[in-house]
């Protein structure tokens, strides 16, 4: 039996979540120059909140919205409380700060919700057969929701005043201030969108993986790989890179070695960095420190 | 003076490291002041401090942040387990571990120049993840998730006891701290800092940036591997848990919290990451939360780290810092300089030959068929309006931009197109920069000495002597101990000239030497360049300052839109219609 279609589908589906995370990373980086290493844990935390709501009998839809919203609001609060006071131009200190935040969030989740893996229900239960291939509705929903979310982001960035302002601010912080763009607002929205996307990604990953505090560690790594493929500055690049890593990772896991998947992904990153330090899709390399 | 102050400080730190090491040894060993558990904690601090200082100094000296140093610790630890299991003695194990780690570090360091600090940090983070995977899955060597037991260490046929391993850890840490500090303050540290501060200027004095980064990373990785060997001996049993991402991140936190590049800070930061968790073993989540919150607090409130932050606050109370002094009087400078230059062992018959240099960036032609010659001992000026292609031409001379086929660029018979950029000082080409481009973390004396280190000097003359002579000649001795940020711009530009001079050039290429100087400084520079010429040293001036250039140069070349539009004596250039047009526009052009 030919497994390739199944592997490809599963690759695209996991790639969709990496793309969401990668998009979040890029949006936050472009607006605030911060590589948010804690972004996955914001998502995990949001899903834990959703889990708590579910166990109290609230409907899945409300819980899901809460997951995304909580993740986004946590992001906004973090940006305001600790990232902004750090000051601009401290790229590495900011990375260390988010590493510390990641530790805090994981432990806080563990303290509040326990370290036992918890089952999380699929958003859409059941399976469907497409062209002889049995696919879980959850997988289809994952890919669909991810694509819809990305389309919404694209629309927002392209056609709304605020979105255009955010892109302008990302291109040139100083010039954006000169023309009257409120940097604080842009930063807050970027962190909300970025972390909410992570919440959505965590929500989509939780049913398959079961909910643990380390839910997002492996996906985050792959999302970063995708961001490298596409370039830290490119939103489209991050999304495309995420899908690419998802497919490559699953192909490697199936046909190369199931044990050395991270190593394989790492090899791809190194290769890309050597060939195109600014990412495959980046037009031009810009130092922004 | 500054040199002496720094050496004194270094000596103090060596003494302090020795004192701490001896105290720790006495307390844990012969004096029996500590119990088993305290010994364990002290040993752990000693071992981890080795890793922290390797991470911290790499960041401070090379600007490379490695989040992946836990991988090198793993290399050391698993070498101890695997090679020890095959009966190899400890020195062999240490050597192999250091070599393997250094090789990986060297390769990573080679790539450092290509990436921003952030990319490299994330690249090393990925390395840490991969190391975790390899450790977990490469069962034959690492024992996989089950872990591997580490056989007792054997030195000269003697099996080390646990107490002896504590002593070994303390001894190793003390030795590493002293060696690292001396290296950081000495030649390697100066070279790494120069490359970190100003890559291009470092190349212009003959340093090899890729090699500097790679050697720094290799040394750092090898040190971390040593820590890994001792760690394995201490705990006797290693598993992937020890090399998790969290522990990799811990070393970054230790380095940042203690203070990057501070030896005392490395020890303090390590105590922070080791002792804090030990204080609250039962409530692991709470402990991590406190750990994270404290880290963020340090980042926000003492961003330079606890040790340097404290020093910065108390130093003004202890030492009154004197204002940097102004440069000494220039009386007699030109003639002294001329005499000195005449005694230097440089080729005085080298001619710069440039023929048919064309450079294209996409559709833009930056240089088109540019040809010029600088005969020995001549001052040639290259002028042209903004965007004329002067910088591109400089970059071709410097070896940073390759011209199209058919070009010739040679100096004294050396084909410069086939020589790497850092070979320029070796063939006798010195370079100064429009914005001085001094090494921000080196003093004036260190900068000039570093430049002199690679230069051809008279037999028996050390780099320090030759640097002192250059500083004295250029009246910079009184600011020798200052860093560039304490100096006025005019003085910075003179230090830049001193740096170029120290490389022993027979041609000095000067990029806008007059810009940013006041009238007095311009006059001094004028005298200086004339002294070069009288001593048989050629000068290429690339500048806007037409008047200065016209009164100095033997020949003037004018670039416009990438082409040479005029070449001749200053008098000919002044009357050239083409030059008038390029600079002031055509009269009839009004629409």
């Amino acid at each position: 039996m030919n497994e390739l279609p199944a592997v490809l589908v599963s690759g695209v589906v996991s790639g969709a979540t990496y793309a969401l995370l990668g998009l979040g990373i890029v949006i936050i980086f472009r607006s605030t120059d911060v590589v948010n290493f804690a972004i996955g844990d914001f998502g995990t935390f949001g899903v834990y909140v959703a889990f708590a709501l579910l166990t109290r009998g609230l409907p899945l839809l409300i819980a899901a919205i809460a997951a995304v919203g909580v993740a986004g609001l946590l992001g906004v609060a973090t940006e305001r409380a600790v990232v902004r006071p750090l000051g601009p131009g401290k790229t590495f200190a900011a990375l260390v700060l988010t590493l510390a935040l990641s530790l805090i969030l994981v432990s806080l989740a563990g303290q509040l919700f326990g370290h036992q893996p918890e089952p999380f229900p699929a958003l859409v239960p059941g399976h469907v057969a497409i062209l002889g291939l049995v696919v879980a509705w959850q997988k289809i929903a994952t890919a669909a929701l991810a694509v819809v979310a990305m389309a919404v982001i694209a629309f927002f960035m392209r056609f709304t005043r605020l979105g255009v302002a955010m892109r302008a601010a990302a291109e040139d912080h100083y010039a954006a201030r000169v023309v009257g763009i409120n940097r604080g607002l842009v930063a807050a929205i970027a962190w909300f969108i970025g972390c909410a996307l992570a919440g959505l990604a965590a929500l989509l990953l939780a049913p398959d993986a079961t909910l643990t505090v380390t839910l997002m560690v492996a996906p985050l790594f792959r999302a970063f790989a995708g961001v490298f493929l596409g370039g830290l500055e490119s939103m489209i690049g991050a999304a495309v890179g995420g899908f690419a890593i998802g497919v490559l990772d699953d192909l490697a896991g199936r046909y190369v070695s199931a044990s050395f998947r991270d190593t394989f992904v790492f090899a791809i990153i190194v290769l890309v960095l050597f060939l195109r330090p600014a990412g495959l899709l980046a037009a031009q390399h810009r130092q922004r420190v | 003076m500054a040199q002496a102050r720094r050496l004194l400080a270094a000596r103090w730190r060596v003494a302090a490291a020795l004192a701490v090491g001896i105290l720790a040894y006495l307390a844990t060993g012969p004096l029996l002041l500590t119990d088993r558990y305290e010994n364990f904690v002290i040993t752990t601090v000693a071992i981890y401090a080795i890793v922290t200082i390797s991470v911290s100094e790499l960041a401070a000296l090379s600007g490379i942040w490695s989040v992946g140093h836990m991988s090198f610790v793993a290399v050391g630890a698993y070498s101890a387990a695997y090679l020890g299991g095959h009966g190899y003695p400890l020195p062999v194990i240490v050597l192999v571990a250091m070599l393997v780690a250094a090789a990986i570090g060297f390769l990573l360091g080679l790539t450092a120049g290509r990436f921003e600090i952030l990319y490299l940090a994330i690249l090393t983070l990925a390395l840490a993840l991969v190391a975790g995977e390899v450790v977990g899955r490469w069962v034959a060597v690492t024992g996989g998730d089950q872990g591997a037991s580490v056989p007792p260490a054997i030195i000269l046929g003697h099996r080390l006891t646990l107490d002896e391993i504590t002593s070994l850890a303390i001894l190793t840490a003390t030795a590493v701290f002293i060696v690292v500090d001396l290296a950081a303050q000495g030649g390697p540290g100066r070279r790494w800092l120069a490359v970190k501060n100003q890559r291009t200027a470092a190349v212009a004095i003959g340093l090899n940036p890729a090699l500097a980064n790679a050697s720094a990373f290799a040394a750092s990785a090898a040190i971390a591997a040593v820590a890994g060997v001792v760690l394995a001996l201490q705990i006797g049993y290693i598993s992937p848990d020890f090399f998790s991402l969290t522990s990799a991140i811990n070393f970054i936190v230790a380095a940042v919290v203690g203070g990057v590049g501070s030896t005392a800070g490395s020890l303090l930061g390590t105590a922070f990451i080791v002792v804090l968790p030990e204080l609250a073993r039962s409530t692991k989540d709470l402990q991590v939360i406190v750990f994270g919150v404290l880290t963020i607090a340090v980042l926000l409130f003492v961003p330079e780290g606890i040790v340097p932050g404290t020093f910065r606050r108390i130093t003004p109370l202890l030492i009154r810092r004197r204002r940097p002094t102004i440069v000494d009087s220039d009386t007699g400078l030109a003639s002294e300089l001329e005499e000195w230059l005449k005694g230097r062992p440089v080729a005085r018959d080298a001619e710069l030959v440039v023929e048919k240099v064309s450079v294209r960036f996409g559709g833009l032609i930056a240089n088109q068929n540019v040809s010029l010659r600088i005969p020995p001992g001549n001052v040639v000026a290259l002028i042209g309006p903004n965007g004329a292609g002067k910088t591109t031409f400089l970059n071709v001379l410097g070896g940073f931009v390759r011209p199209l086929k058919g070009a010739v660029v040679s100096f004294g018979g050396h084909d410069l197109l086939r020589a790497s950029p850092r070979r320029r000082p070796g063939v006798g080409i010195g370079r100064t920069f429009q914005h001085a481009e001094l090494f921000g973390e080196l003093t004036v004396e260190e900068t000039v000495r570093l430049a002199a280190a690679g230069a051809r000097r008279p037999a028996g003359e050390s780099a320090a002597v030759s640097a002192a002579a250059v500083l004295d000649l250029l009246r910079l001795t009184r600011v020798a101990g200052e860093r560039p940020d304490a100096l006025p711009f005019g003085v910075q530009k003179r230090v830049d000239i001193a740096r170029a001079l120290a490389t022993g050039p027979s041609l000095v290429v000067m990029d806008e030497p007059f810009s940013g100087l006041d009238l007095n400084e311009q006059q001094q520079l004028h005298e200086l360049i004339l002294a070069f010429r009288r001593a048989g040293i050629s000068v290429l001036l690339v500048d806007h300052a037409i008047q200065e250039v016209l009164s100095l140069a033997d020949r003037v070349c004018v670039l416009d839109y990438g082409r040479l539009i005029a070449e001749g004596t200053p008098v000919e250039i002044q009357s050239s219609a083409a030059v008038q047009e390029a600079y002031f526009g055509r009269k009839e052009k009004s629409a």
Side-chain angles (χ1 to χ4, degrees):
Chain A
M1 183 186 135
N2 187 7
E3 293 169 317
L4 188 61
V7 173
L8 284 180
V9 166
S10 118
V12 168
V13 170
S14 30
T17 57
Y18 310 153
L20 286 177
L21 266 178
L23 191 58
I25 292 168
V26 168
I27 288 175
I28 290 176
F29 179 75
R30 279 166 53 100
S31 294
T32 52
D33 279 350
V34 176
V35 173
N36 183 1
F37 195 77
I39 189 167
D41 305 308
F42 286 99
T44 309
F45 208 89
V47 176
Y48 266 110
V49 171
F51 179 73
L53 294 178
L54 279 178
T55 53
R56 278 165 185 71
L58 273 85
L60 184 57
L61 183 66
I62 304 276
I65 291 170
V68 175
V70 164
L73 289 176
L74 267 178
V76 174
T78 302
E79 193 275 328
R80 192 70 199 87
V82 288
V83 174
R84 207 179 297 179
L86 195 63
K90 296 209 177 142
T91 322
F92 189 77
L95 177 69
V96 176
L97 192 140
T98 62
L99 288 171
L101 266 177
S102 166
L103 293 178
I104 295 175
L105 283 170
V106 166
S107 297
L108 199 61
Q111 185 78 6
L112 294 175
F113 306 106
H115 285 275
Q116 291 303 315
E118 305 281 1
F120 195 86
L123 296 179
V124 195
H127 297 267
V128 65
I130 304 170
L131 300 173
L133 192 65
V134 179
V135 185
W137 272 114
Q138 168 71 16
K139 285 193 190 294
I140 295 172
T142 298
L145 271 173
V147 169
V148 167
M150 284 183 252
V152 169
I153 299 289
F155 179 86
F156 170 77
M157 290 290 176
R158 189 142 197 95
F159 296 110
T160 66
R161 236 185 121 71
L162 202 57
V164 173
M166 287 182 65
R167 285 194 294 139
E171 288 301 321
D172 189 331
H173 296 337
Y174 181 72
R177 234 180 28 219
V178 170
V179 299
I181 291 172
N182 179 347
R183 242 198 110 181
L185 181 68
V186 165
I189 290 176
W191 276 74
F192 182 85
I193 295 177
C195 293
L197 285 174
L200 181 59
L203 192 66
L204 297 172
L205 281 162
D208 269 355
T210 71
L211 180 53
T212 64
V213 289
T214 54
L215 170 69
M216 298 298 273
V217 172
L220 183 69
F221 174 54
R222 288 172 174 72
F224 266 117
V227 168
F228 274 121
L229 278 182
L232 251 176
E233 299 270 352
S234 163
M235 291 193 274
I236 296 170
V240 174
F243 277 109
I245 288 293
V247 171
L248 283 174
D249 182 35
D250 277 8
L251 284 176
R254 178 65 191 83
Y255 296 107
V256 184
S257 159
S259 300
F260 291 97
R261 297 173 77 146
D262 281 351
T263 310
F264 185 79
V265 174
F266 176 73
I268 295 174
I269 297 182
V270 171
L271 201 67
V272 169
L273 283 179
F274 269 97
L275 298 177
R276 290 290 299 267
L280 282 178
L281 297 178
Q284 205 186 356
H285 187 52
R286 280 195 299 143
Q287 172 89 30
R288 266 184 45 182
V289 177
Chain B
M1 170 62 189
Q3 178 69 6
R5 211 184 324 147
R6 213 191 59 231
L7 279 179
L8 196 68
R11 208 165 292 168
W12 270 111
R13 277 200 304 275
V14 169
L18 272 178
V20 171
I22 290 171
L23 277 180
Y25 166 71
L26 288 177
T28 54
L31 295 183
L32 299 170
L33 290 176
T34 48
D35 60 25
R36 259 265 134 90
Y37 172 69
E38 285 162 347
N39 273 0
F40 172 80
V41 173
I42 290 175
T43 310
T44 310
V45 170
I47 294 169
Y48 281 13
I50 298 174
V51 188
T52 306
I53 199 173
S54 72
V55 170
S56 177
E57 291 292 347
L58 179 62
L61 297 172
S62 289
I64 299 171
W65 275 103
S66 168
V67 192
H69 259 51
M70 206 61 202
S71 326
F72 304 121
V73 179
V75 166
Y78 281 101
S79 298
Y82 185 75
L83 296 176
H86 287 71
Y88 289 95
L90 188 56
V92 174
I93 296 173
V94 171
L95 197 67
V96 170
M98 287 178 79
L99 285 176
V100 171
I104 302 171
F106 193 86
L107 287 176
L108 278 170
L110 278 182
T111 69
R114 296 171 63 97
F115 309 125
E116 297 172 19
I117 175 172
L118 214 55
Y119 275 77
L120 200 67
I122 297 172
L123 187 67
T124 57
L125 187 79
L127 174 75
L129 284 165
V130 169
E133 190 173 75
V134 171
V135 161
R137 304 284 158 73
W138 195 12
V139 181
V141 171
T142 66
D145 290 332
Q146 306 296 317
S149 68
V150 184
I154 296 164
I155 299 182
L156 302 174
H158 170 73
R159 280 178 66 150
L160 293 183
T161 65
L162 205 55
D163 284 341
E164 284 166 342
I165 287 172
T166 296
S167 302
L168 176 72
I170 293 170
L171 175 76
T172 311
T174 311
V176 163
F177 266 63
I178 291 172
V179 169
V180 166
D181 193 45
L182 290 179
Q185 304 301 326
R190 304 302 100 186
R191 282 196 293 280
W192 293 337
L193 274 179
V195 167
K196 172 192 167 198
N197 290 157
Q198 293 289 351
R199 234 179 155 80
T200 308
V203 170
I205 62 168
L207 297 180
N208 181 341
L211 186 67
N213 288 153
S215 57
F217 209 132
S220 174
I223 290 169
V226 174
V229 174
V230 187
L231 177 76
L233 295 180
Q234 182 211 9
I235 50 188
Y237 186 84
I238 47 175
S239 73
D241 291 347
F242 283 98
F243 311 106
S244 66
L245 188 57
T246 316
S247 27
I249 292 166
N250 275 348
F251 292 113
I252 298 286
V253 170
V256 170
V257 165
V260 180
S262 156
T263 40
S266 295
L267 189 60
L268 190 78
T270 309
F272 174 71
I273 62 165
V274 173
V275 176
L276 188 73
E278 291 295 330
L279 289 180
R281 288 194 88 120
S282 51
T283 53
K284 179 137 193 318
D285 282 331
L286 206 62
Q287 163 243 310
V288 176
I289 292 171
V290 170
F291 179 77
V293 170
L294 284 177
T295 303
I296 292 177
V298 170
L299 283 172
L300 286 180
F301 302 117
V302 208
E304 68 266 63
I306 290 174
V307 169
T310 313
F311 264 100
R312 189 174 53 81
R313 281 172 177 77
I314 61 170
T315 312
L317 307 176
L318 302 178
I319 306 162
R320 198 169 301 132
R321 181 124 174 80
R322 59 198 173 73
R323 293 288 312 146
T325 36
I326 307 304
V327 187
D328 289 327
S329 143
D330 273 356
T331 320
L333 187 157
S335 56
E336 279 175 41
L337 181 64
E338 181 187 338
E339 280 313 305
W340 184 79
L341 283 172
K342 279 179 176 162
R344 304 307 289 174
V346 294
R348 266 160 243 276
D349 53 359
E351 182 177 22
L352 179 77
V353 178
V354 176
E355 271 164 25
K356 295 182 186 152
V357 163
S358 298
V359 177
R360 203 183 263 276
F361 298 117
L364 180 84
I365 299 167
N367 277 179
Q368 192 177 3
N369 260 334
V370 177
S371 304
L372 62 84
R373 279 166 186 267
I374 305 182
N378 268 246
V379 175
V380 173
L382 181 68
I383 61 173
N386 274 328
K390 302 191 294 288
T391 304
T392 302
F393 184 76
L394 273 177
N395 284 335
V396 170
L397 271 192
F400 298 106
V401 170
R402 282 197 81 74
L404 298 177
K405 268 212 161 70
V408 176
V409 180
S410 75
F411 183 67
H414 299 276
D415 181 0
L416 295 182
L417 291 179
R418 291 174 57 180
S420 100
R422 71 191 149 81
R423 302 276 178 227
R424 266 63 177 170
V427 302
I429 301 180
R431 157 112 200 236
T432 71
F433 297 85
Q434 181 183 358
H435 301 292
E437 316 267 320
L438 297 179
F439 309 124
E441 290 172 84
L442 297 191
T443 65
V444 169
E445 196 273 339
E446 289 169 340
T447 300
V448 177
R449 186 151 48 92
L450 192 59
R456 218 173 302 135
R457 301 183 297 268
E461 184 183 294
S462 73
V465 167
S466 130
V470 171
L471 290 175
D472 189 45
L473 280 168
L474 293 186
R475 308 295 189 259
L476 290 166
T477 306
R478 285 168 72 180
V479 295
E482 302 295 340
R483 287 188 177 178
D485 58 2
L487 302 173
F489 186 61
V491 180
Q492 289 186 32
K493 286 195 85 153
R494 186 173 279 195
V495 176
D496 187 16
I497 295 175
R499 177 173 63 186
L501 215 49
T503 64
S506 40
L507 164 68
V508 184
V509 178
M510 305 179 115
D511 187 9
E512 305 215 6
F514 290 98
S515 76
L517 298 186
D518 63 30
L519 277 178
N520 195 21
E521 289 165 340
Q522 290 189 5
Q523 185 54 41
Q524 291 162 354
L525 178 59
H526 195 118
E527 299 291 327
L528 229 129
I529 292 171
L530 289 177
F532 284 173
R533 180 168 62 180
R534 288 197 301 273
I537 309 245
S538 338
V539 177
L540 174 63
L541 296 170
V542 179
D543 212 308
H544 286 301
I546 302 177
Q547 287 314 317
E548 271 305 334
V549 158
L550 288 179
S551 60
L552 257 178
D554 298 305
R555 290 192 79 73
V556 179
C557 306
V558 185
L559 266 183
D560 193 26
Y561 294 110
R563 288 176 304 116
L564 270 186
I565 55 167
E567 197 204 336
T569 63
V571 178
E572 289 164 5
I573 291 299
Q574 260 172 319
S575 52
S576 154
V579 177
Q580 297 279 340
E581 188 187 313
Y583 267 87
F584 306 112
R586 197 194 302 249
K587 265 182 195 157
E588 311 83 343
K589 214 175 176 179
S590 55

